Amino acid sequence: MALRPVHVNIKALDASAVGRFWAEALGWSAYNAGVTTYVGPVGGFVWPDPVFLGIDVVPVPEAKTATKNRVHLDLAASSAAHQTELVAHLRDLGAKPVDVGQGDVPWTVLADLEGNEFCVLEPREVYRDTGPIAAIVVDCEDPRSMARFWGEAMDWTVHEVSDGQAVLRSTAGVGPYLEFLRTPGVKTVPDRVHLDLLPYPGDDKAAEVERLRALGATDLDLGQGDVAWTCLSDPEGHEFCVLAPS
């Protein structure tokens, strides 16, 4: 039994505008699915995508309040010229440079239309085949603890574990990485960005949720009411959802 991450969930005041931004940023398409906007690879709506994690932009009435999100995306660049071109393209789309204390680094930190931070990385060999999203990065206190929990929660492979970082990726070796970075500070407000997980066909969602609770997940009430998915938080309080199989 295991779960698979299927998309990155981003909360937004204007889900359509933020969805369009990310579609153009990644070279993907935006698909309206009810009140949400789903961003996925060009070629027709496929969900869950067998390789990539899409982005599901969900409308909420509250604006971003955290100084810095605890979860963000890293975008891949194939060359120094591509990085420069991508940063210029993103700024034309409305992205703004932000200072999160990164200092003098080879990557560029930007924020989307509603202030959600992301990074445009310098070319790195490890990300050459990830697609436009190199990694989903989670700030945490204890990467080793996060590797234990998320390595058991999902069917992804743990590639690296140290006091400073834990790295996971699909067992098929495709798509983006999931990285947990030891970061000063603690989580104080709900995450604006989180992962949504999905059971495999034939697996029992309720049994999967119970398994996650046994691993250390806790139930979470965000005012979601009676919905088909289950909201949980990991041992450090990062929210995530377990979706119902379609």
Side-chain angles (χ1 to χ4, degrees):
M1 296 174 65
L3 294 158
R4 50 187 163 156
V6 289
H7 54 234
V8 178
N9 187 298
I10 299 178
K11 299 180 177 69
L13 289 171
D14 189 338
S16 294
V18 173
R20 288 192 302 272
F21 169 85
W22 281 105
E24 294 186 53
L26 301 174
W28 287 357
S29 295
Y31 308 92
N32 290 324
V35 298
T36 71
T37 299
Y38 182 78
V39 178
V42 174
F45 183 76
V46 176
W47 189 87
D49 190 278
V51 174
F52 302 108
L53 296 191
I55 296 176
D56 194 31
V57 187
V58 178
V60 294
E62 306 87 8
K64 178 177 180 280
T65 57
T67 303
K68 175 181 176 291
N69 286 338
R70 300 284 287 179
V71 182
H72 73 267
L73 300 181
D74 280 352
L75 305 189
S78 58
S79 66
H82 179 217
Q83 182 188 19
T84 299
E85 292 166 4
L86 181 55
V87 169
H89 174 59
L90 292 164
R91 295 192 66 172
D92 286 343
L93 294 175
K96 304 293 185 185
V98 291
D99 185 350
V100 293
Q102 67 268 24
D104 184 15
V105 293
W107 59 88
T108 300
V109 184
L110 301 171
D112 71 11
L113 304 183
E114 295 196 5
N116 298 300
E117 302 87 359
F118 64 96
C119 299
V120 181
L121 302 179
E122 75 285 3
R124 302 183 192 180
E125 180 64 20
V126 68
Y127 299 133
R128 64 181 174 79
D129 62 351
T130 59
I133 301 176
I136 300 95
V137 182
V138 183
D139 294 348
C140 69
E141 298 176 74
D142 186 351
R144 293 185 184 277
S145 173
M146 291 293 94
R148 285 192 295 271
F149 174 82
W150 286 95
E152 290 287 340
M154 305 190 311
D155 66 340
W156 281 22
T157 299
V158 178
H159 284 267
E160 176 186 340
V161 181
S162 68
D163 290 342
Q165 177 174 267
V167 178
L168 295 82
R169 197 185 190 194
S170 162
T171 53
V174 296
Y177 288 81
L178 175 63
E179 301 177 356
F180 296 91
L181 297 183
R182 187 173 185 176
T183 308
V186 296
K187 184 175 180 294
T188 58
V189 298
D191 290 328
R192 199 75 177 172
V193 181
H194 71 257
L195 282 176
D196 283 342
L197 311 182
L198 182 70
Y200 281 91
D203 285 353
D204 184 86
K205 172 179 170 286
E208 285 294 321
V209 170
E210 283 303 316
R211 186 177 67 85
L212 293 170
R213 291 178 180 134
L215 291 173
T218 55
D219 291 289
L220 185 66
D221 186 354
L222 297 171
Q224 66 268 21
D226 185 17
V227 293
W229 58 90
T230 300
C231 297
L232 300 168
S233 58
D234 72 13
E236 289 198 11
H238 298 102
E239 298 89 357
F240 66 96
C241 294
V242 180
L243 307 181
S246 56

